[in-house]
């Protein structure tokens, strides 16, 4: 108990700042901008990252380097409830996943393309250990928690994961919306198959892609969203 009090007394500014930033970003909410080729969606997580970075030792210097490192170590603590909720939700829908059939399971092997395509490119760009965290997935909340747990908050692998996390939050929805519309224009895939492909492991990206396909195939819009949600959940598992 005494040790806990000492930590709180030493780092109280970090906790207060985190609470204020969370409240402000929640009030800002999700902002959407039409940029012609798609919709740019900015989530509260993006604003929180910007505000937190500005308060660090490299900008306004409200926090020292030691305090900033403590903030990094708390990432896994913050993500733990979300990861637990994801596991409970996935477990509760296992029967539904089995009922869908083998097609939904087999299409998950497409996620290996994340490694096969992005890892060589990352190495060519000069990334080293950062590539391990950056290239094994599209890096959403569970992935960030995983690399933080395995390598630690200050490891280059975790920095690689977090970098892709932020990029995906900023432009991921725009990219996948445009990609979905382009692939649909080829007219070689069944709309249900395209719906499965929307489930890349990110709820926001899945919704954006499935919504785009729903406008192209209005009669299949509901089925596309259902299959996208099931696929997204399976990817999380």
């Amino acid at each position: 108990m005494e040790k806990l009090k000492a930590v709180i007394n030493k780092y109280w500014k970090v906790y207060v700042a985190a609470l204020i930033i969370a409240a402000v970003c929640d009030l800002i909410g999700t902002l959407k901008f039409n940029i012609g080729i798609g919709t740019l969606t900015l989530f509260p997580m993006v604003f929180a990252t910007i505000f937190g970075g500005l308060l660090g030792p490299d900008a306004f210097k409200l926090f020292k380097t030691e305090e900033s490192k403590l903030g990094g170590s708390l990432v896994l603590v913050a993500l733990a409830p979300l990861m637990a909720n994801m596991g409970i939700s996935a477990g509760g829908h296992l029967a539904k996943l089995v009922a869908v059939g083998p097609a939904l399971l087999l299409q998950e092997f497409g996620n290996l393309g994340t490694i096969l395509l992005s890892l060589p490119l990352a190495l060519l760009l000069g990334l080293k250990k950062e590539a391990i965290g950056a290239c094994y997935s599209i890096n959403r909340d569970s992935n960030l928690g995983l690399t933080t747990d395995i390598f630690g908050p200050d490891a280059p692998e975790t920095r690689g994961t977090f970098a892709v996390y932020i990029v995906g939050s900023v432009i991921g929805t725009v990219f996948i919306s445009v990609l979905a519309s382009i692939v649909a224009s080829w007219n070689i895939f069944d709309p249900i198959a395209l719906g499965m492909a929307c489930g890349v492991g990110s709820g926001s990206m899945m919704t954006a892609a499935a919504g785009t396909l729903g406008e192209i195939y209005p009669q299949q819009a509901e089925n596309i969203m259902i299959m996208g949600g099931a696929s997204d959940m399976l990817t999380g598992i």
Side-chain angles (χ1 to χ4, degrees):
M1 183 62 69
E2 292 298 325
K3 186 176 181 180
L4 177 61
K5 289 181 179 179
V7 172
I8 294 176
N9 289 333
K10 186 175 182 180
Y11 297 111
W12 65 270
K13 286 196 301 182
V14 176
Y15 304 125
V16 172
L19 181 61
I20 294 174
I21 290 174
V24 170
C25 294
D26 189 57
L27 289 174
I28 295 174
T30 301
L31 302 181
K32 297 182 178 181
F33 303 95
N34 191 337
I35 59 173
I37 62 172
T39 302
L40 176 62
T41 306
L42 300 178
F43 297 95
M45 177 66 187
V46 177
F47 303 122
T49 303
I50 295 173
F51 295 155
L54 291 175
L55 297 178
D58 297 324
F60 290 105
K61 301 180 179 180
L62 180 63
F63 298 112
K64 300 176 181 177
T65 301
E66 183 182 2
E67 292 171 325
S68 297
K69 289 183 177 180
L70 174 72
S73 65
L74 293 175
V75 170
L76 184 61
V77 177
L79 290 177
L82 178 63
M83 295 169 66
N85 180 67
M86 183 183 298
I88 294 171
S89 175
H93 291 83
L94 284 178
K96 185 181 295 185
L97 293 178
V98 173
V100 172
L104 190 59
L105 297 173
L106 292 174
Q107 60 96 29
E108 287 299 327
F109 285 101
N111 292 311
L112 294 176
T114 314
I115 299 173
L116 299 176
L117 295 175
S118 62
L119 186 57
L121 180 61
L123 295 175
L124 287 173
L125 291 173
L127 273 69
K128 294 181 173 59
K129 288 185 177 181
E130 292 85 356
I132 296 174
C135 299
Y136 82 99
S137 175
I138 63 166
N139 294 324
R140 295 297 90 200
D141 304 278
S142 58
N143 304 116
L144 182 59
L146 180 63
T147 47
T148 302
D149 183 44
I150 294 175
F151 300 105
D154 300 319
E157 293 89 348
T158 303
R159 291 199 297 270
T161 302
F162 197 76
V164 177
Y165 184 102
I166 297 301
V167 172
S169 297
V170 176
I171 66 172
T173 52
V174 177
F175 173 80
I176 199 167
S177 296
V178 174
L179 180 63
S181 63
I182 292 175
V183 175
S185 69
W186 297 344
N187 293 319
I188 59 176
F189 295 109
D190 188 281
I192 301 302
L194 293 176
M196 291 183 186
C198 294
V200 295
S202 166
S204 58
M205 293 185 194
M206 183 279 295
T207 303
T212 299
L213 292 173
E215 294 180 4
I216 299 174
Y217 306 106
Q219 295 180 339
Q220 293 279 12
E222 184 177 357
N223 291 330
I224 289 172
M225 188 63 71
I226 291 174
M227 296 308 298
S231 176
D232 196 67
M233 180 173 56
L234 187 59
T235 302
I237 297 174

